[in-house]
């Protein structure tokens, strides 16, 4: 198959104080989130001047991918579109059509299965094409890459570097804790095609954590969750990172390395939930804490994108390390499989 562009598709984020509330309203549309909850989350963004780092980080990834393509002879322009904030995917796909793009690949900034991690990107693709209408480019989403060896190696190096930043007398007893974005338990149960048995998201996160720990030479580790946003009566994946720090402190652990394995870059969930809240909790508990870096800024990440593209353009073999399946490749926003990662039922508060 011949392709003529690559679209980097992401979540989006505000780039100024006046954009924070409209962005959050976009993210939560149709979910019945109380205004006071949006006000609380808005404060996280205003703590950083009303700017999420996600758009800047994605532009840096795009620049690195463009350089990688130029060095390896791949002639594909790279476009940037978002689900929830500018540049919106609909506008980007319209620009692609105007530029004469007819058949493009889509790289999502999520490595995972599940509704939020995969199927919602298919919905973004379908919505953007529908908005453009007749003549919209064909869009083929690239596969899930949770176990790609280049990402595993980048995380492993980041873990070793974080251990090295701990006080020398605490390194030997340091606990490595992997984190990823929590989702409702019901969403995790529905993650993946029914034939795969559900829970694909949490299974992939656990497998990625195992691979990264092994590559870093870490024998024991924990997998926890962060950034839950739902009402307390709805079960979400747990334990939460801050609750887990308290549990570790009770067992005498006095040094922790957090690896945000669920994130490709230092998004707001990383710089707020980990670098702010978790750091404050660790200081309160007397725990020496270091956070491993994310792979988006590592040169290996642009190479990862290039290898995923080459799977489609040159039929190269997938580079994979994990035992859990990796789905996600379909055309024009169709689901991977019947019943795959069904969207959650949205219920407004009574």
């Amino acid at each position: 198959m011949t392709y003529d562009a690559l679209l980097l598709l992401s979540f989006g984020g505000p780039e100024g104080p006046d954009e924070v509330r409209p962005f959050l309203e976009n993210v939560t549309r149709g979910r019945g989130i109380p205004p006071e909850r949006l006000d609380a989350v808005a404060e996280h963004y205003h703590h950083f001047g009303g700017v999420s780092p996600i758009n800047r980080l994605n532009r840096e990834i795009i620049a690195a991918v463009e350089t990688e393509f130029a060095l390896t002879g791949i002639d594909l322009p790279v476009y940037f579109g978002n689900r929830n904030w500018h540049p919106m995917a609909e506008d980007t796909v319209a620009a692609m059509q105007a530029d004469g793009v007819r058949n493009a690949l889509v790289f999502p900034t999520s490595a995972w299965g599940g509704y939020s991690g995969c199927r919602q990107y298919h919905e973004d693709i379908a919505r953007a094409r529908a908005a453009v209408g007749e003549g919209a480019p064909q869009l083929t989403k690239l596969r899930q890459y949770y176990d790609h060896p280049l990402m595993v190696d980048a995380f492993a190096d980041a873990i070793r570097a974080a251990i090295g930043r701990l006080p020398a007398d605490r390194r030997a007893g340091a606990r490595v804790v992997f984190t990823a974005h929590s989702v409702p338990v019901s969403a995790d149960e529905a993650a993946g095609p029914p034939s795969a048995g559900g829970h694909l998201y949490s299974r992939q996160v656990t497998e990625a954590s195992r691979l990264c720990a092994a590559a870093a030479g870490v024998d024991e580790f924990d997998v926890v969750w962060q950034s839950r946003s739902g009402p307390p009566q709805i079960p979400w994946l747990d334990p939460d990172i801050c609750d887990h720090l308290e549990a570790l402190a009770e067992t005498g652990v006095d040094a922790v390395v957090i690896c945000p394995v669920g994130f490709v870059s230092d998004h707001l969930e990383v710089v707020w939930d980990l670098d702010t809240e978790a750091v404050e909790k660790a200081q309160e508990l007397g725990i020496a804490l270091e956070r491993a870096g994310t792979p988006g800024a590592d040169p290996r990440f642009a190479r990862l994108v290039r290898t995923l593209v080459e799977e489609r353009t040159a039929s190269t073999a997938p580079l994979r390390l994990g035992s859990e399946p990796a789905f996600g490749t379909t055309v024009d926003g169709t689901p991977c499989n019947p019943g795959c990662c069904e969207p959650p039922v949205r219920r407004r508060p009574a």
Side-chain angles (χ1 to χ4, degrees):
M1 182 70 70
T2 300
Y3 299 93
D4 49 10
L6 175 70
L7 167 62
L8 184 142
L9 184 58
S10 193
F11 188 83
E15 297 186 270
D18 293 342
E19 298 180 0
V20 172
R21 189 56 181 256
F23 161 74
L24 291 175
E25 290 170 353
N26 268 357
V27 173
T28 60
R29 58 187 177 271
R31 294 171 57 184
I33 304 298
E36 57 270 20
R37 174 58 183 161
L38 295 185
D39 292 339
V41 176
E43 286 305 310
H44 300 172
Y45 288 89
H46 289 304
H47 182 82
F48 300 99
V51 178
S52 167
I54 189 170
N55 276 0
R56 172 181 59 81
L57 294 169
N58 282 330
R59 293 186 183 106
E60 291 173 1
I61 290 173
I62 288 170
V65 169
E66 290 173 334
T67 299
E68 179 71 17
F69 282 1
L71 292 173
T72 54
I74 296 176
D75 185 19
L76 291 179
V78 184
Y79 291 82
F80 178 26
N82 286 320
R83 175 183 306 154
N84 294 301
W85 203 245
H86 308 285
M88 302 294 289
E90 296 89 335
D91 297 333
T92 300
V93 174
M96 294 167 71
Q97 181 198 39
D99 290 344
V101 174
R102 293 294 175 260
N103 192 20
L105 294 167
V106 180
F107 174 78
T109 57
S110 167
W112 312 100
Y115 177 72
S116 298
C118 186
R119 179 157 177 171
Q120 202 165 10
Y121 285 92
H122 293 299
E123 294 177 354
D124 297 337
I125 290 168
R127 185 181 64 253
R129 294 189 76 253
V132 172
E134 184 177 355
Q138 179 172 289
L139 300 176
T140 301
K141 180 181 172 293
L142 297 170
R143 67 169 174 86
Q144 298 154 14
Y145 51 93
Y146 77 93
D147 61 342
H148 197 290
L150 290 172
M151 191 162 74
V152 170
D153 286 348
F155 270 126
D157 287 347
I159 292 167
R160 285 189 287 262
I163 293 172
R165 294 193 298 269
L166 289 169
D169 60 345
R170 297 197 189 187
R171 293 172 194 165
R175 189 74 177 180
V176 175
V177 178
F178 293 91
T179 70
H181 204 301
S182 186
V183 300
V185 171
S186 59
D188 189 50
E189 290 172 345
S195 61
H199 302 278
L200 182 63
Y201 172 60
S202 60
R203 286 159 46 198
Q204 288 178 338
V205 169
T206 300
E207 178 70 348
S209 301
R210 182 189 69 80
L211 292 168
C212 294
V218 172
D219 295 326
E220 296 185 2
F221 61 91
D222 303 320
V223 178
V224 304
W225 308 93
Q226 62 174 89
S227 311
R228 72 159 289 163
S229 58
Q233 66 269 25
I234 296 178
W236 283 52
L237 295 176
D238 58 20
D240 175 78
I241 177 60
C242 288
D243 293 340
H244 189 64
L245 290 175
E246 291 182 347
L248 289 175
E250 290 176 0
T251 66
V253 172
D254 64 356
V256 170
V257 165
I258 298 178
C259 177
V261 72
F263 301 88
V264 301
S265 296
D266 287 5
H267 300 162
L268 188 87
E269 293 91 342
V270 174
V271 298
W272 176 261
D273 295 338
L274 301 183
D275 295 349
T276 305
E277 291 189 330
V279 165
E280 291 173 355
K281 176 60 69 174
Q283 291 172 343
E284 172 190 318
L285 297 169
I287 292 175
L289 187 147
E290 290 290 340
R291 198 261 293 171
T294 48
D298 190 297
R300 285 170 286 196
F301 196 75
R303 288 164 50 199
L304 178 156
V305 177
R306 188 250 302 165
T307 65
L308 293 178
V309 167
E310 289 175 336
E311 289 180 19
R312 305 296 305 178
T313 60
S315 299
T316 58
L319 298 176
R320 297 197 56 218
L321 297 174
S323 59
E324 297 294 346
F327 303 107
T329 298
T330 71
V331 178
D332 292 344
T334 57
C336 301
N337 296 275
C340 187
C341 302
E342 291 289 351
V345 176
R346 304 295 190 191
R347 294 186 177 89
R348 293 184 179 274

